[in-house]
Amino acid sequence: MHISGQVVFGVLAAVSQVLGYQVQTPPLDTEWTYKVGTNPWPEYPRPLLQRPQWQNLNGIWKYRRADPEARMAPINESFANAADVLVPSCLESGLSGVQDINVTYAWLTREFTVPHDWTQTGRRIMLNFEAVDYEATVFVNGRKAGFHRGGYWHFNFDVTNLVRVNGTNTLYVYRNICSSPEDPHVHVFDPTDSMGYNIPMGKQRVNPSHIFYRACTGIWQTVWMESVPKNYIQKLDISADADGKVKMQVATSGGNDKVSISIVGDEGVSIMSHEASGNTPIEFVVDSPKLWSPRLTYSDDEVTSYTGFRTVSVGEVNGIVRPLINGKFFFHFGTLDQGYWPDGLHTPPSREAMVYDLEVLKSLGLNMVRKHIKVEPALFYQACDQLGLLVIQDMPAMFDGEPKPNAAQQAEFERQFEIMIDQHKSYPSIYTWIIYNEGWGQITQGYYPEYDLAARTKQLDPTRLVDATSGWFDHGAGDYHDNHHYANPQCGSPFYSLNSSPHDPKRIAIQGEFGGIGHNVSAQNLWKVQEAINAINQTYEIDADLEAYNYRGHILMTELKEQIQRYACSGAVWTQTTDVEGEVNGFLTYDRRILRLNVDQWKADIQALYDAAQGRTGQYKGQKALN
Ligand SMILES: *[C@@H]1O[C@H](CO)[C@@H](O)[C@H](O)[C@H]1NC(C)=O
Ligand SMILES: *[C@@H]1O[C@H](CO)[C@@H](O)[C@H](O)[C@H]1NC(C)=O
Ligand SMILES: *[C@@H]1O[C@H](CO)[C@@H](O)[C@H](O)[C@H]1NC(C)=O
Ligand SMILES: *[C@@H]1O[C@H](CO)[C@@H](O)[C@H](O)[C@H]1NC(C)=O
Ligand SMILES: *[C@@H]1O[C@H](CO)[C@@H](O)[C@H](O)[C@H]1NC(C)=O
């Protein structure tokens, strides 16, 4: 739908801005859709670096499609007649209020004021974006604050010199796609995946079909402002292992001045303090490691963070290469977790909705999720840290077909891959990075880029494992040998089949995807888009009713259990947490209203996997560390 449905704003604008916003009926809603309101995502958005002075800029903004040739912010334009849009949201989503499909260029704008106590001499004002898809040029009061490329990453600009502290400011975000780095305003490519452009985009497609979904455009995570002192902490990297060794690096705006670290235990009691320098590696040991939070003071800046103590490694247990967490092998079982929502697409309707998915998985006994070629808001990883759910984090894939990326596209993919690691390496729940999914965007002629990328990953983050190629084109790189096979697993097993190879004893065996059995629910729980409904019959297997679905689930889980007992299988990922668009193979339907599982049966089958793994390892005798 185009925004012509919104002409009514011309009349309503004089009454109230907020009146103009209306959730559009999405092809399928959830229990949360109509509870979102106009104050979405009120939570503090950066749990790893918290500061008291902040202001949320989410809410109702103005939106219109933009001229591809736009060079300047439209400061002389009244947006009174433009559509009201909810930030954060994907412009294509019902929750956005515009549900505008195929947007390539857009203006998003709002007014804001700066709190008076932020204006003391010397303090700086930072404007933070948690994610804008795909490129954003940001203007404050008509002057350019900066440009950012990449749809999944946090970025910020120092806007101290652009804001008026005594009045209203106008923030404009020009959203474009695929422009050249030299001049983000002028040189613009056609923005579709079908026209040879190749960017990290995950499952988004201009023409969705079966396993590919409606695209997300615009500001899809929280926008916020904060006040920082002249000398402030810009970033905090932290990792802590099971022996109590803590490694930190505090990026500060003022060189390597002194940073004070005070460590506070779970109960709020201070455990120890440590003095260090900014911008230099910090290492110290905590005696009895438990969950704790560091509180950092640097100059006038004071921030809090958190970490968890754990060690991820590869080891040999009774002759089989295994993933070890805190020196122990246990079986990792999780779901393929797409993180799509029928009302918000990339943006969950709320934190509560987002955590609901994780709690369902946790209650079934899963101990892991594979976050599939998408990156979530920081609060997702914090929730996994709090719930104790392991996370395998995929890099959002480039285009799945031919042509493969050219040199410039590959370089951009690698740049964004490093950003993913840099921005997420302090969440304890993430224990594995995936570079490529099923060969999508994976160059296989001339050289195998996953070797270099796996090595670089280990340099950037030595505390985690690398699954270089999850599915299909495995050339031996990384810590894992990862088969995808539907519906039945081929995990650590000596079987050959199309795109699945027999176990490589030098690496950990994981079944990166299996299951995927479908069940076509009643029309009311389906994504009501005809193309998606037509694609349902492409599902690997459809079981006529829930009894058959659960019977088949039991057979496949039993097969997996036997591969743990007989072969070298160390982990597996069931496809998938929820249905998405034309896919009807979730534990939950896309609207989260139906859980297909016979819960007692699945809990028992999941527990049986852990027991089978325990049976292979005994009391962890014969274990030896490999790294
Ligand atoms: C806005 O209007 C003023 C006055 O007419 C003009 O000088 C200025 O160039 C305009 N700016 C833009 C960005 O159009
Ligand atoms: C979006 O654009 C593509 C490519 O031009 C087109 O095939 C598709 O029908 C468009 N979708 C909608 C909903 O307009
Ligand atoms: C803000 O406005 C007040 C009152 O009008 C004035 O006294 C003050 O100087 C202004 N501050 C700035 C920074 O312009
Ligand atoms: C799937 O259904 C469509 C019509 O909805 C039909 O054209 C197509 O042949 C079917 N495909 C298969 C594999 O059954
Ligand atoms: C799935 O169910 C929908 C709605 O009842 C129906 O239109 C569609 O044909 C069904 N598809 C298959 C493959 O069963």
Side-chain angles (χ1 to χ4, degrees), residues 1 101-102 192 194 206-207:
M1 188 184 75
I101 313 290
N102 280 351
T192 55
S194 57
V206 165
N207 285 302

Side-chain angles (χ1 to χ4, degrees), residues 75-91:
I75 48 170
N76 290 338
E77 176 183 334
S78 158
F79 274 77
N81 292 339
D84 282 10
V85 69
L86 190 71
V87 168
S89 70
C90 304
L91 294 170

